[in-house]
Amino acid sequence: MDTKSPFSTVLITGASSGIGEAFAHVAAGEGHPLILVARGEAELHRVRGVVIARYAVPVSIIVHDLSVPGAGDALANELEARKLDVDIIINNAGFGLVGKASELSRQDQLKMIDLNVRSLADITLRFLPQMIAKGRGGVINVASTAAFMPGPNMAVYFASKAFVLSFTDALHEETRGTGVTFTTLSPGPVETGFQRRAGMKQARALSRLIPKTAMAVAQAGWAGFKEGERLVVPGTMNKITAYALRGAPRRMILPVIRRAMGAAKAK
């Protein structure tokens, strides 16, 4: 797969801020045309303006809420109508909520599943056959270190990211030798708008780990993808913590995570 080719078009969801916006700069910096998707029109236009001012690449924007029913069909129809081809997908759109599952809005939690799981799987599966047919392309699915453990007080979010990790691992193996690359990007704490939407305190209150910037995370994910890596966990301490928690007995780690996530909830 020639990921440096300026003819490889990169579609990025959740591209209006944070890691998605950072990915736009990383990919555009290597000459890739972009298709930026998010629900915030003003922010998408802002990102597009900054990117095209810095890089000589075409940038298309699609304003769309990927959590709504039929989102995948609407996105595919829009791409077809504009005659936009997709070679590389970065599924970054997602959100979390802090609190007990019994106390959070059921509809909001189901919407989280629709965005973090259903939309990601839908977009991936729609474009996978054509990638395999072309013998090139790939997908970066953005998960989290939350994917390595259950998350009391953030149960649906942690579970949704566990799906992303499992799903992407499996597709990485299924597409071995096809020219198509699947990479899971699992960052630890990152200072973005995620915390505000989730109802969390600042990321530094969640861990002694040093949060990575959105740009550092995007750069690590992109570099790993180009190397064909199955999994990228930016930061040595994030790697150690993620794998240690994954292997630890759940009876030990569940109370620890419950307390940590309870303390992370904004008052």
Side-chain angles (χ1 to χ4, degrees):
M1 177 181 60
D2 183 7
T3 57
K4 294 185 179 180
S5 168
F7 301 105
S8 297
T9 299
V10 181
L11 182 148
I12 307 171
T13 70
S16 60
S17 63
I19 295 172
E21 179 178 357
F23 263 122
H25 286 274
V26 172
E30 293 191 3
H32 292 272
L34 303 179
I35 303 169
L36 307 180
V37 183
R39 62 178 185 160
E41 183 172 6
E43 284 302 291
L44 269 183
H45 280 288
R46 178 190 62 79
V47 174
R48 180 181 183 275
V50 174
V51 170
I52 63 175
R54 294 181 181 177
Y55 315 101
V57 298
V59 180
S60 302
I61 62 172
I62 298 177
V63 180
H64 194 48
D65 184 351
L66 293 172
S67 69
V68 302
D73 291 334
L75 176 60
N77 291 339
E78 184 70 17
L79 292 169
E80 183 178 0
R82 298 198 202 179
K83 294 181 170 52
L84 294 172
D85 292 325
V86 175
D87 301 300
I88 298 168
I89 298 168
I90 302 174
N91 279 312
N92 169 71
F95 73 97
L97 294 170
V98 178
K100 293 181 179 179
S102 61
E103 298 174 356
L104 293 171
S105 162
R106 176 173 59 88
Q107 291 301 324
D108 287 347
Q109 292 181 85
L110 293 175
K111 186 174 183 179
M112 196 191 316
I113 295 172
D114 285 338
L115 182 59
N116 296 10
V117 175
R118 183 180 177 85
S119 176
L120 177 145
D122 187 358
I123 292 171
T124 299
L125 297 173
R126 281 175 185 272
F127 294 98
L128 177 55
Q130 69 186 51
M131 289 180 182
I132 293 175
K134 292 177 181 178
R136 62 185 176 86
V139 179
I140 301 173
N141 284 331
V142 179
S144 165
T145 50
F148 294 88
M149 63 200 85
N153 286 322
M154 219 171 172
V156 172
Y157 176 75
F158 276 55
S160 73
K161 293 305 181 180
F163 172 89
V164 174
L165 176 59
S166 177
F167 178 65
T168 313
D169 273 358
L171 293 181
H172 177 90
E173 184 62 26
E174 286 184 11
T175 56
R176 187 183 298 277
T178 66
V180 178
T181 298
F182 272 86
T183 298
T184 304
L185 173 61
S186 291
V190 183
E191 295 288 4
T192 67
F194 174 90
Q195 289 80 23
R196 182 176 61 256
R197 185 176 184 188
M200 300 171 71
K201 297 176 182 177
Q202 292 299 308
R204 288 184 176 85
L206 303 180
S207 173
R208 294 180 181 178
L209 305 180
I210 299 174
K212 293 286 186 180
T213 65
M215 181 57 71
V217 168
Q219 289 171 334
W222 186 253
F225 173 73
K226 292 197 297 180
E227 292 297 318
E229 294 182 16
R230 175 183 57 83
L231 173 65
V232 176
V233 182
T236 301
M237 287 306 299
N238 284 330
K239 290 186 180 72
I240 293 171
T241 301
Y243 286 110
L245 288 172
R246 191 179 202 180
R250 291 197 171 186
R251 68 178 183 277
M252 295 174 58
I253 65 169
L254 283 169
V256 174
I257 298 170
R258 175 175 55 81
R259 287 193 294 270
M261 300 318 300
K265 186 172 177 60
K267 303 301 184 182

